[in-house]
Coordinates of all heavy atoms in Angstrom, one line a residue:
M539 N -10.5 33.0 33.0 CA -11.1 32.7 31.7 C -10.0 32.3 30.7 O -10.0 31.3 30.1 CB -11.9 33.8 31.2 CG -13.2 34.0 32.0 SD -14.2 32.6 32.1 CE -15.8 33.2 31.4
A540 N -9.0 33.2 30.6 CA -7.9 33.0 29.7 C -7.1 31.7 30.0 O -6.7 31.0 29.2 CB -6.9 34.2 29.7
D541 N -7.0 31.4 31.3 CA -6.4 30.2 31.8 C -7.0 29.0 31.3 O -6.4 28.1 30.7 CB -6.4 30.2 33.3 CG -5.0 30.6 33.9 OD1 -4.3 31.2 33.1 OD2 -4.7 30.2 35.0
T542 N -8.3 28.9 31.4 CA -9.1 27.8 30.9 C -8.9 27.6 29.4 O -8.7 26.5 29.0 CB -10.6 28.0 31.2 OG1 -10.7 28.4 32.6 CG2 -11.4 26.7 31.0
A543 N -8.9 28.6 28.7 CA -8.8 28.5 27.2 C -7.4 28.0 26.8 O -7.3 27.1 25.9 CB -9.0 29.9 26.6
T544 N -6.3 28.4 27.5 CA -5.0 27.9 27.1 C -4.8 26.5 27.6 O -4.0 25.7 27.0 CB -3.9 28.8 27.8 OG1 -4.2 29.0 29.1 CG2 -3.8 30.1 27.1
K545 N -5.5 26.0 28.6 CA -5.3 24.6 29.1 C -6.1 23.7 28.3 O -5.8 22.5 28.3 CB -5.7 24.5 30.6 CG -4.6 25.1 31.5 CD -5.1 25.0 32.9 CE -4.2 25.7 33.9 NZ -4.8 25.9 35.2
A546 N -7.2 24.1 27.7 CA -8.1 23.2 26.9 C -7.5 22.9 25.6 O -7.8 23.6 24.6 CB -9.5 23.9 26.8
R547 N -6.6 21.9 25.5 CA -6.0 21.5 24.3 C -6.9 20.6 23.5 O -7.5 19.7 24.1 CB -4.7 20.8 24.5 CG -3.6 21.7 25.1 CD -2.3 21.0 25.1 NE -2.4 19.7 25.9 CZ -1.6 18.7 25.7 NH1 -0.8 18.7 24.7 NH2 -1.8 17.6 26.4
P548 N -7.0 20.8 22.2 CA -7.8 19.9 21.4 C -7.1 18.5 21.3 O -5.9 18.5 21.2 CB -7.9 20.6 20.0 CG -6.7 21.4 20.0 CD -6.4 21.9 21.4
V549 N -7.9 17.5 21.3 CA -7.4 16.1 21.2 C -8.2 15.4 20.2 O -9.4 15.4 20.2 CB -7.4 15.4 22.5 CG1 -6.9 13.9 22.3 CG2 -6.5 16.1 23.6
L550 N -7.5 14.7 19.2 CA -8.2 14.0 18.2 C -8.4 12.5 18.7 O -7.7 12.1 19.6 CB -7.4 13.9 16.9 CG -7.2 15.3 16.2 CD1 -6.2 15.1 15.1 CD2 -8.5 15.8 15.7
A551 N -9.4 11.8 18.2 CA -9.6 10.4 18.5 C -9.3 9.6 17.3 O -9.7 9.9 16.2 CB -11.0 10.2 19.0
L552 N -8.6 8.5 17.4 CA -8.3 7.6 16.3 C -8.6 6.2 16.7 O -8.2 5.7 17.8 CB -6.8 7.7 16.0 CG -6.2 6.7 15.0 CD1 -6.7 6.9 13.6 CD2 -4.7 6.8 15.0
R553 N -9.4 5.5 15.9 CA -9.8 4.1 16.2 C -9.0 3.2 15.4 O -8.9 3.3 14.1 CB -11.3 3.9 15.9 CG -11.7 2.6 16.3 CD -13.2 2.4 16.1 NE -13.6 1.0 16.2 CZ -14.8 0.5 15.8 NH1 -15.7 1.3 15.4 NH2 -15.1 -0.7 16.0
I554 N -8.3 2.2 16.0 CA -7.6 1.2 15.3 C -8.2 -0.2 15.9 O -8.0 -0.5 17.0 CB -6.1 1.2 15.6 CG1 -5.5 2.6 15.2 CG2 -5.4 0.1 14.9 CD1 -4.0 2.7 15.6
G555 N -8.8 -0.9 15.0 CA -9.5 -2.1 15.4 C -10.6 -1.7 16.4 O -11.5 -0.9 16.1
D556 N -10.6 -2.2 17.6 CA -11.6 -1.9 18.6 C -11.1 -0.9 19.6 O -11.8 -0.6 20.6 CB -12.0 -3.2 19.3 CG -12.8 -4.1 18.4 OD1 -13.5 -3.6 17.5 OD2 -12.7 -5.4 18.6
V557 N -9.9 -0.4 19.4 CA -9.3 0.5 20.4 C -9.4 1.9 20.0 O -8.9 2.2 18.8 CB -7.9 0.1 20.7 CG1 -7.2 1.0 21.8 CG2 -7.8 -1.4 21.2
W558 N -9.8 2.8 20.8 CA -9.8 4.2 20.5 C -8.6 4.8 21.2 O -8.3 4.6 22.4 CB -11.0 4.9 21.1 CG -12.2 4.8 20.3 CD1 -13.2 3.8 20.4 CD2 -12.6 5.5 19.1 NE1 -14.2 4.0 19.4 CE2 -13.8 5.0 18.6 CE3 -12.1 6.7 18.5 CZ2 -14.5 5.6 17.5 CZ3 -12.7 7.2 17.4 CH2 -13.9 6.6 16.9
Y559 N -7.8 5.6 20.4 CA -6.6 6.2 20.9 C -6.9 7.7 20.9 O -7.5 8.3 20.0 CB -5.4 6.0 20.0 CG -4.9 4.6 19.9 CD1 -5.6 3.6 19.1 CD2 -3.8 4.2 20.6 CE1 -5.1 2.3 19.1 CE2 -3.3 2.9 20.5 CZ -4.0 2.0 19.8 OH -3.5 0.7 19.7
A560 N -6.4 8.4 21.9 CA -6.3 9.9 21.9 C -5.1 10.2 21.0 O -4.0 9.7 21.2 CB -6.2 10.4 23.3
L561 N -5.3 11.2 20.1 CA -4.2 11.5 19.2 C -3.8 13.0 19.4 O -4.6 13.9 19.2 CB -4.7 11.3 17.8 CG -3.8 11.4 16.6 CD1 -2.6 10.4 16.7 CD2 -4.5 11.2 15.3
E562 N -2.6 13.2 19.8 CA -2.1 14.6 20.1 C -0.9 14.9 19.3 O 0.0 14.0 19.3 CB -1.8 14.8 21.6 CG -3.0 14.5 22.5 CD -2.5 14.5 23.9 OE1 -2.3 15.7 24.5 OE2 -2.3 13.5 24.5
P563 N -0.8 16.0 18.7 CA 0.5 16.4 18.0 C 1.6 16.6 19.1 O 1.4 17.1 20.2 CB 0.1 17.7 17.3 CG -1.0 18.3 18.1 CD -1.8 17.1 18.7
V564 N 2.8 16.1 18.7 CA 4.0 16.4 19.5 C 4.7 17.5 18.9 O 5.2 17.4 17.8 CB 4.8 15.1 19.6 CG1 6.1 15.4 20.4 CG2 4.1 13.9 20.1
V565 N 4.8 18.6 19.7 CA 5.5 19.8 19.1 C 7.0 19.6 19.3 O 7.5 19.4 20.4 CB 5.0 21.0 19.9 CG1 5.7 22.3 19.4 CG2 3.5 21.2 19.7
Q566 N 7.7 19.7 18.2 CA 9.2 19.5 18.3 C 9.9 20.7 17.7 O 11.1 20.6 17.5 CB 9.5 18.2 17.5 CG 8.9 17.0 18.1 CD 9.2 15.8 17.2 OE1 9.0 15.8 16.1 NE2 9.6 14.7 17.8
G567 N 9.2 21.7 17.5 CA 9.9 22.9 17.0 C 10.0 22.8 15.5 O 9.4 21.9 14.9
P568 N 10.7 23.8 14.9 CA 10.8 23.8 13.4 C 11.6 22.6 12.9 O 12.3 21.9 13.6 CB 11.6 25.1 13.2 CG 12.4 25.3 14.4 CD 11.6 24.8 15.5
G569 N 11.4 22.3 11.6 CA 12.1 21.2 11.0 C 11.1 20.2 10.4 O 9.9 20.3 10.6
P570 N 11.6 19.2 9.7 CA 10.7 18.3 8.9 C 10.1 17.2 9.8 O 9.2 16.5 9.3 CB 11.7 17.7 7.9 CG 13.0 17.8 8.6 CD 13.0 19.0 9.4
V571 N 10.5 17.0 11.0 CA 10.0 15.9 11.8 C 8.6 16.2 12.2 O 8.2 17.3 12.6 CB 10.9 15.7 13.1 CG1 10.3 14.6 13.9 CG2 12.3 15.4 12.7
K572 N 7.8 15.2 12.0 CA 6.4 15.2 12.5 C 6.2 14.1 13.4 O 6.6 13.0 13.2 CB 5.4 15.1 11.3 CG 5.5 16.4 10.4 CD 4.3 16.4 9.5 CE 4.2 17.7 8.7 NZ 3.0 17.9 8.1
A573 N 5.4 14.3 14.5 CA 5.2 13.3 15.4 C 3.8 13.4 16.1 O 3.3 14.5 16.3 CB 6.3 13.3 16.5
W574 N 3.2 12.3 16.4 CA 2.0 12.2 17.0 C 2.0 11.2 18.2 O 2.6 10.2 18.1 CB 0.9 11.8 16.1 CG 0.6 12.8 15.0 CD1 1.3 12.9 13.8 CD2 -0.4 13.8 15.0 NE1 0.8 14.0 13.1 CE2 -0.3 14.5 13.8 CE3 -1.4 14.2 15.9 CZ2 -1.1 15.6 13.5 CZ3 -2.2 15.2 15.6 CH2 -2.1 15.9 14.4
K575 N 1.4 11.6 19.3 CA 1.3 10.7 20.4 C 0.0 10.0 20.5 O -1.1 10.7 20.5 CB 1.6 11.5 21.7 CG 1.6 10.7 23.0 CD 1.8 11.6 24.2 CE 1.7 10.8 25.5 NZ 1.6 11.7 26.6
L576 N 0.0 8.7 20.5 CA -1.3 7.9 20.6 C -1.4 7.4 22.0 O -0.5 6.6 22.4 CB -1.2 6.8 19.6 CG -1.6 7.1 18.1 CD1 -0.5 8.0 17.5 CD2 -1.7 5.8 17.3
T577 N -2.5 7.7 22.6 CA -2.6 7.1 24.0 C -3.9 6.3 24.1 O -5.0 6.7 23.7 CB -2.8 8.3 25.0 OG1 -1.7 9.2 24.9 CG2 -2.8 7.8 26.4
K578 N -3.7 5.0 24.5 CA -4.8 4.1 24.7 C -5.6 4.4 25.9 O -5.1 5.1 26.8 CB -4.2 2.7 24.8 CG -3.6 2.2 23.5 CD -3.6 0.7 23.4 CE -2.8 0.0 24.5 NZ -2.6 -1.4 24.3
P579 N -6.8 3.9 26.0 CA -7.6 4.1 27.2 C -7.0 3.7 28.5 O -7.2 4.3 29.6 CB -8.9 3.3 26.9 CG -9.0 3.2 25.5 CD -7.5 3.1 25.0
D580 N -6.1 2.7 28.4 CA -5.4 2.2 29.7 C -4.2 3.1 30.0 O -3.5 2.8 31.0 CB -5.0 0.7 29.5 CG -4.0 0.5 28.4 OD1 -3.5 1.5 27.9 OD2 -3.7 -0.7 28.2
G581 N -3.9 4.1 29.2 CA -2.9 5.0 29.6 C -1.6 4.7 28.8 O -0.7 5.6 28.8
E582 N -1.5 3.6 28.2 CA -0.3 3.2 27.5 C -0.2 4.2 26.2 O -1.2 4.4 25.6 CB -0.3 1.8 27.0 CG 1.0 1.2 26.6 CD 1.0 -0.3 26.4 OE1 -0.1 -0.9 26.7 OE2 2.0 -0.8 25.9
S583 N 1.0 4.7 25.9 CA 1.1 5.6 24.8 C 2.3 5.2 23.9 O 3.3 4.7 24.4 CB 1.1 7.0 25.2 OG 2.3 7.3 25.9
Y584 N 2.1 5.6 22.6 CA 3.2 5.4 21.7 C 3.4 6.7 20.9 O 2.4 7.4 20.6 CB 2.9 4.3 20.7 CG 2.4 3.0 21.3 CD1 1.0 2.7 21.2 CD2 3.2 2.2 22.0 CE1 0.6 1.5 21.8 CE2 2.8 1.0 22.6 CZ 1.5 0.7 22.5 OH 1.0 -0.5 23.0
C585 N 4.6 7.0 20.6 CA 4.9 8.2 19.7 C 5.2 7.7 18.3 O 6.1 6.9 18.1 CB 6.0 9.0 20.3 SG 6.3 10.5 19.4
V586 N 4.4 8.2 17.4 CA 4.6 7.8 16.0 C 5.2 9.1 15.3 O 4.8 10.2 15.5 CB 3.3 7.5 15.3 CG1 3.5 7.4 13.8 CG2 2.6 6.3 15.9
S587 N 6.3 8.8 14.6 CA 7.0 10.0 14.0 C 7.6 9.7 12.7 O 7.7 8.6 12.2 CB 8.2 10.4 15.0 OG 9.1 9.4 15.1
R588 N 7.9 10.8 12.0 CA 8.5 10.7 10.7 C 9.7 11.6 10.6 O 9.6 12.8 11.0 CB 7.5 11.0 9.6 CG 8.1 11.2 8.2 CD 7.0 11.4 7.2 NE 7.6 11.7 5.9 CZ 7.9 13.0 5.4 NH1 7.5 14.0 6.1 NH2 8.5 13.1 4.3
D589 N 10.8 11.2 10.0 CA 11.9 12.1 9.8 C 12.5 11.7 8.4 O 11.9 11.0 7.7 CB 12.9 12.0 10.9 CG 13.5 10.6 11.0 OD1 13.4 9.8 10.1 OD2 14.0 10.3 12.1
Q590 N 13.7 12.2 8.1 CA 14.2 12.0 6.8 C 14.5 10.5 6.5 O 14.7 10.1 5.4 CB 15.4 12.8 6.6 CG 16.6 12.5 7.5 CD 16.7 13.4 8.7 OE1 15.6 13.7 9.3 NE2 17.8 13.9 9.1
W591 N 14.6 9.7 7.6 CA 14.9 8.3 7.4 C 13.7 7.4 7.3 O 13.7 6.2 7.0 CB 15.8 7.8 8.5 CG 17.1 8.4 8.5 CD1 18.1 8.3 7.7 CD2 17.6 9.4 9.4 NE1 19.2 9.1 8.0 CE2 18.9 9.8 9.1 CE3 17.0 10.0 10.6 CZ2 19.6 10.8 9.8 CZ3 17.7 11.0 11.3 CH2 19.0 11.4 10.9
G592 N 12.5 8.0 7.5 CA 11.3 7.2 7.5 C 10.4 7.3 8.7 O 10.6 8.3 9.4
Y593 N 9.6 6.3 8.9 CA 8.6 6.4 10.0 C 9.2 5.6 11.2 O 9.9 4.6 11.0 CB 7.3 5.8 9.5 CG 6.7 6.5 8.4 CD1 6.9 6.1 7.1 CD2 6.0 7.7 8.6 CE1 6.4 6.8 6.0 CE2 5.4 8.4 7.5 CZ 5.6 8.0 6.2 OH 5.1 8.7 5.2
A594 N 8.7 5.9 12.3 CA 9.1 5.2 13.5 C 7.9 5.2 14.5 O 7.1 6.1 14.5 CB 10.3 5.8 14.2
C595 N 7.9 4.2 15.3 CA 6.8 4.1 16.4 C 7.5 3.4 17.6 O 8.5 2.7 17.5 CB 5.6 3.2 15.9 SG 4.3 3.1 17.1
E596 N 6.9 3.7 18.8 CA 7.6 3.1 20.0 C 6.9 1.8 20.4 O 7.3 1.3 21.4 CB 7.4 4.1 21.1 CG 8.1 5.4 20.9 CD 7.8 6.5 22.0 OE1 6.7 6.4 22.6 OE2 8.7 7.3 22.3
C597 N 6.0 1.3 19.6 CA 5.3 0.1 20.1 C 6.2 -1.1 19.9 O 7.1 -1.2 19.1 CB 4.0 -0.1 19.3 SG 4.1 -0.6 17.6
F598 N 5.8 -2.2 20.6 CA 6.6 -3.4 20.5 C 6.6 -4.0 19.1 O 7.6 -4.5 18.6 CB 5.9 -4.5 21.5 CG 6.6 -5.8 21.5 CD1 7.8 -5.9 22.1 CD2 6.1 -6.9 20.8 CE1 8.5 -7.2 22.1 CE2 6.7 -8.1 20.9 CZ 7.9 -8.2 21.5
G599 N 5.4 -3.9 18.4 CA 5.4 -4.5 17.1 C 6.3 -3.8 16.1 O 7.0 -4.5 15.3
F600 N 6.4 -2.5 16.2 CA 7.4 -1.8 15.3 C 8.8 -2.1 15.7 O 9.7 -2.3 14.8 CB 7.1 -0.3 15.3 CG 8.0 0.5 14.4 CD1 7.7 0.5 13.0 CD2 9.2 1.1 14.8 CE1 8.6 1.2 12.1 CE2 10.0 1.7 14.0 CZ 9.7 1.8 12.6
L601 N 9.1 -2.1 17.0 CA 10.5 -2.4 17.4 C 10.9 -3.8 16.9 O 12.1 -4.0 16.6 CB 10.6 -2.3 18.9 CG 10.3 -0.9 19.5 CD1 10.5 -0.9 21.0 CD2 11.3 0.2 18.9
R602 N 10.0 -4.7 16.9 CA 10.3 -6.1 16.5 C 10.3 -6.3 15.0 O 11.2 -7.0 14.5 CB 9.4 -7.0 17.2 CG 9.7 -8.5 17.0 CD 9.1 -9.3 18.0 NE 9.4 -10.7 17.8 CZ 8.9 -11.7 18.6 NH1 8.0 -11.4 19.5 NH2 9.2 -13.0 18.4
W603 N 9.3 -5.7 14.3 CA 9.2 -6.0 12.9 C 9.3 -4.8 12.0 O 9.3 -4.9 10.8 CB 7.8 -6.7 12.7 CG 7.6 -8.0 13.3 CD1 8.4 -9.1 13.1 CD2 6.7 -8.3 14.4 NE1 8.0 -10.1 13.9 CE2 7.0 -9.7 14.7 CE3 5.7 -7.6 15.1 CZ2 6.2 -10.3 15.7 CZ3 5.0 -8.3 16.0 CH2 5.3 -9.6 16.4
G604 N 9.3 -3.6 12.6 CA 9.2 -2.4 11.8 C 10.3 -2.2 10.8 O 10.1 -1.7 9.7
E605 N 11.5 -2.7 11.1 CA 12.6 -2.5 10.1 C 12.3 -3.3 8.8 O 12.7 -2.8 7.8 CB 13.9 -3.0 10.7 CG 14.4 -2.0 11.8 CD 15.9 -2.1 12.1 OE1 16.5 -2.9 11.4 OE2 16.3 -1.4 12.9
R606 N 11.7 -4.4 8.9 CA 11.4 -5.1 7.7 C 10.1 -4.6 7.0 O 10.0 -4.5 5.8 CB 11.3 -6.6 8.0 CG 12.6 -7.4 7.7 CD 12.4 -8.8 8.0 NE 12.4 -9.0 9.5 CZ 11.9 -10.1 10.1 NH1 11.4 -11.1 9.3 NH2 12.0 -10.3 11.4
R607 N 9.1 -4.4 7.9 CA 7.8 -4.0 7.3 C 7.7 -2.5 7.0 O 6.9 -2.1 6.2 CB 6.6 -4.4 8.2 CG 6.5 -5.9 8.4 CD 5.3 -6.3 9.2 NE 5.2 -7.7 9.5 CZ 4.3 -8.2 10.3 NH1 3.4 -7.5 10.9 NH2 4.3 -9.5 10.5
G608 N 8.5 -1.8 7.7 CA 8.5 -0.3 7.5 C 7.4 0.4 8.3 O 7.5 1.6 8.4
E609 N 6.4 -0.3 8.8 CA 5.4 0.4 9.6 C 4.6 -0.6 10.4 O 4.6 -1.8 10.2 CB 4.4 1.2 8.7 CG 3.6 0.3 7.8 CD 2.7 1.1 6.9 OE1 3.1 2.3 6.6 OE2 1.7 0.6 6.5
C610 N 4.0 -0.1 11.4 CA 3.1 -0.9 12.3 C 1.6 -0.3 12.1 O 1.4 0.6 11.3 CB 3.5 -0.8 13.7 SG 3.4 0.9 14.3
K611 N 0.7 -0.9 12.8 CA -0.7 -0.4 12.6 C -0.9 1.1 13.0 O -1.7 1.7 12.5 CB -1.6 -1.3 13.4 CG -1.4 -1.2 14.9 CD -2.4 -2.2 15.6 CE -2.1 -2.2 17.1 NZ -3.0 -3.2 17.8
H612 N 0.0 1.5 14.0 CA -0.2 2.9 14.4 C 0.3 3.8 13.3 O -0.3 4.8 12.9 CB 0.7 3.1 15.7 CG 0.4 2.2 16.8 ND1 1.2 1.2 17.2 CD2 -0.8 2.0 17.5 CE1 0.7 0.5 18.1 NE2 -0.5 1.0 18.4
I613 N 1.5 3.5 12.7 CA 2.0 4.3 11.6 C 1.0 4.3 10.4 O 0.7 5.3 9.9 CB 3.4 3.8 11.2 CG1 4.4 4.1 12.3 CG2 3.8 4.5 9.9 CD1 5.8 3.4 12.0
A614 N 0.6 3.1 10.1 CA -0.3 3.0 9.0 C -1.6 3.8 9.2 O -2.1 4.4 8.2 CB -0.7 1.5 8.8
S615 N -2.1 3.8 10.4 CA -3.4 4.5 10.6 C -3.1 6.0 10.6 O -3.9 6.8 10.0 CB -3.9 4.2 12.0 OG -4.2 2.8 12.0
V616 N -2.1 6.5 11.2 CA -1.8 7.9 11.2 C -1.5 8.4 9.8 O -1.9 9.5 9.3 CB -0.6 8.3 12.2 CG1 -0.3 9.8 12.1 CG2 -1.0 7.9 13.6
R617 N -0.7 7.6 9.0 CA -0.4 7.9 7.6 C -1.7 8.0 6.8 O -1.8 8.8 5.9 CB 0.5 6.9 7.0 CG 1.9 7.0 7.4 CD 2.8 6.0 6.7 NE 2.8 6.3 5.2 CZ 3.3 5.5 4.3 NH1 3.7 4.3 4.7 NH2 3.2 5.8 3.0
S618 N -2.6 7.1 7.0 CA -3.8 7.0 6.2 C -4.6 8.3 6.4 O -5.4 8.6 5.5 CB -4.6 5.8 6.6 OG -5.3 6.0 7.8
L619 N -4.4 9.0 7.5 CA -5.1 10.2 7.7 C -4.4 11.4 7.1 O -4.8 12.6 7.2 CB -5.4 10.4 9.2 CG -6.3 9.4 9.9 CD1 -6.3 9.6 11.4 CD2 -7.7 9.5 9.3
G620 N -3.2 11.1 6.6 CA -2.4 12.2 6.0 C -1.7 13.1 7.0 O -1.4 14.2 6.8
L621 N -1.5 12.6 8.3 CA -1.1 13.5 9.3 C 0.5 13.5 9.5 O 1.0 14.3 10.2 CB -1.6 13.0 10.7 CG -3.2 13.1 10.8 CD1 -3.7 12.5 12.1 CD2 -3.5 14.6 10.8
L622 N 1.2 12.6 8.7 CA 2.6 12.6 8.9 C 3.3 13.2 7.7 O 4.5 13.4 7.7 CB 3.1 11.2 9.0 CG 2.9 10.6 10.4 CD1 3.2 9.1 10.4 CD2 3.8 11.2 11.5
G623 N 2.5 13.6 6.7 CA 3.2 14.2 5.5 C 4.0 13.2 4.7 O 4.2 12.1 5.1
G624 N 4.4 13.7 3.5 CA 5.3 12.9 2.7 C 4.6 11.7 2.0 O 5.3 10.9 1.4
E625 N 3.3 11.6 2.1 CA 2.6 10.5 1.5 C 2.8 10.5 0.0 O 2.8 9.4 -0.7 CB 1.1 10.5 1.8 CG 0.8 9.8 3.1 CD 1.2 10.7 4.3 OE1 1.5 11.9 4.1 OE2 1.2 10.3 5.4
R626 N 3.0 11.6 -0.6 CA 3.1 11.7 -2.1 C 4.5 11.5 -2.5 O 4.8 11.3 -3.7 CB 2.6 13.0 -2.6 CG 1.2 13.2 -2.4 CD 0.7 14.6 -3.0 NE -0.5 15.0 -2.3 CZ -0.6 16.1 -1.6 NH1 0.4 16.9 -1.5 NH2 -1.8 16.4 -1.1
G627 N 5.5 11.5 -1.7 CA 6.9 11.5 -2.1 C 7.5 10.2 -1.8 O 8.5 9.8 -2.3
Ligands
ZN1071 ZN1 3.2 1.2 16.5

């Protein structure tokens, strides 16, 4: 019984456009970094994170345009939910 309880991790769902992503916190230990893993139904996943330098995502769009735009749709969506912190600063 205890085994089942520890294995049953809660997972959030996040919809971007027509795609539902599973949204799971990435535990990185103490410190200001916050990160979330977004997994698409086809299994592809991206890690969205925030550190003292700003936001980052592993998707192609962010790697290509993120430095200029500062965010991709994944970052924008996670931020809009207030899950990355720092929105007020
Ligand atoms: Zn992205």
